[in-house]
Amino acid sequence: MIAPWTATVLTLFPEMFPGPLGHSLAGKALERGLWRLETVDIRAFARDKHRSVDDAPFGGGPGMVLRPDVVDAAIAGIAGRPGPLLYLSPRGHRLDQERVARLSEGPGVRLLCGRFEGVDERVIEAHAIEELSLGDFVLSGGEPAAIALIDACVRLLPGVIGDAAAVAEESFTGNLLEYPHYTRPQEWRGRAVPEILISGHHDKVRQWRQAQAEAATQTRRPDLWQRYLARKRDRH
Ligand code: SAH
């Protein structure tokens, strides 16, 4: 049997895992062996008797920086684990659904979670570690970002979501946001469900949803809308 998709996480807080990944969709898939999770405590690779992993920044300034020798030893400790080595960092390339899809098609990921002011630049250079950001905001540590990345990958793994069509239709597929959803009750606080959705005309429903997806993308995310138009133009 081939090994399942594997997430290996380097962290100072292994107790934060699996956390949300142990519940619902991801948790059930973990139990069923559809993916694997391994956490490695960076502190286990500290060299001195105080087990220190960080130190003050050269050049001064606030906060502490994770030492390159300790992080390097932790990376050596996970040699042979599958997947690209990625550092969750606000300085990284912004993670998007396309990248998530590519990562989920591979054998797994190895994730380095920073804390404090981050990681000494030299260890990032020495291992040519790619940096990925969740968005233009600052977290207190890489762990929530790692959990988000893993969650996004795991739900795309074969067999994790029963209905594969759910994944094919959702937001960002083809650079569009998803159309709005409605369920029972059919009327709620004087608001009715759009007529077309109860008409039983599948083609009309599909057209309506496409129009809704386009309208939402155009008004909410002009950046995505431009990419959508560009791709459409390329196809013609
Ligand atoms: N001083 C840094 C922020 C450090 S935040 C700066 O200004 O760039 C501490 C850690 O949280 C980082 O090392 C990183 O691993 C994680 N982190 C913070 N914001 C993040 C984001 N937007 N995406 C991914 N990881 C993030």
Side-chain angles (χ1 to χ4, degrees):
M1 199 190 109
I2 49 164
W5 192 87
T6 301
T8 312
V9 184
L10 295 175
T11 171
L12 285 170
F13 298 95
E15 62 276 16
M16 288 188 182
F17 295 84
L21 297 171
H23 298 271
S24 188
L25 213 71
K28 286 193 189 112
L30 188 57
E31 263 173 39
R32 287 166 59 206
L34 295 177
W35 68 288
R36 262 170 35 91
L37 175 67
E38 183 186 6
T39 52
V40 175
D41 189 353
I42 295 173
R43 199 170 294 279
F45 297 89
R47 281 132 192 249
D48 61 355
K49 64 175 188 296
H50 303 294
R51 299 183 76 209
S52 52
V53 294
D54 57 330
D55 211 326
F58 279 114
M64 300 292 270
V65 177
L66 281 169
R67 293 170 55 112
D69 51 350
V70 175
V71 173
D72 178 60
I75 291 170
I78 59 161
R81 304 301 192 282
L85 177 58
L86 307 166
Y87 171 41
L88 282 320
S89 152
R91 300 181 66 211
H93 202 273
R94 182 107 55 94
L95 183 67
D96 59 19
Q97 189 65 14
E98 209 174 301
R99 191 66 209 280
V100 164
R102 271 191 284 134
L103 289 172
S104 75
E105 285 160 9
V109 288
R110 292 176 298 152
L111 304 177
L112 171 60
C113 300
R115 277 276 152 182
F116 321 118
E117 291 308 317
V119 177
D120 186 302
E121 191 68 18
R122 291 166 297 177
V123 74
I124 299 172
E125 285 172 11
H127 289 275
I129 305 176
E130 185 187 353
E131 297 180 51
L132 284 179
S133 170
L134 228 53
D136 293 343
F137 49 86
V138 182
L139 297 165
S140 53
E143 290 80 5
I147 288 169
L149 184 154
I150 294 168
D151 180 90
C153 289
V154 163
R155 58 192 295 286
L156 297 184
L157 297 175
V160 172
I161 294 186
D163 185 358
V167 172
E169 276 198 16
E170 66 199 357
S171 289
F172 307 115
T173 313
N175 289 315
L176 282 182
L177 300 179
E178 204 181 40
Y179 51 80
H181 301 282
Y182 300 90
T183 186
R184 276 185 270 279
Q186 200 172 317
E187 191 173 317
W188 178 76
R189 290 196 183 168
R191 293 165 186 267
V193 165
E195 201 70 41
I196 190 91
L197 298 180
I198 43 182
S199 67
H201 291 121
H202 297 299
D203 280 344
K204 284 191 180 153
V205 168
R206 203 172 309 122
Q207 284 164 18
W208 181 87
R209 284 179 167 167
Q210 177 70 17
Q212 290 284 316
E214 290 184 1
T217 309
Q218 195 169 6
T219 51
R220 294 171 185 217
R221 290 291 302 276
D223 57 323
L224 269 187
W225 180 245
Q226 288 310 319
R227 272 196 269 163
Y228 172 73
L229 292 179
R231 195 169 286 189
K232 217 171 155 181
R233 248 180 272 126
D234 288 349
R235 262 191 258 119
H236 290 304

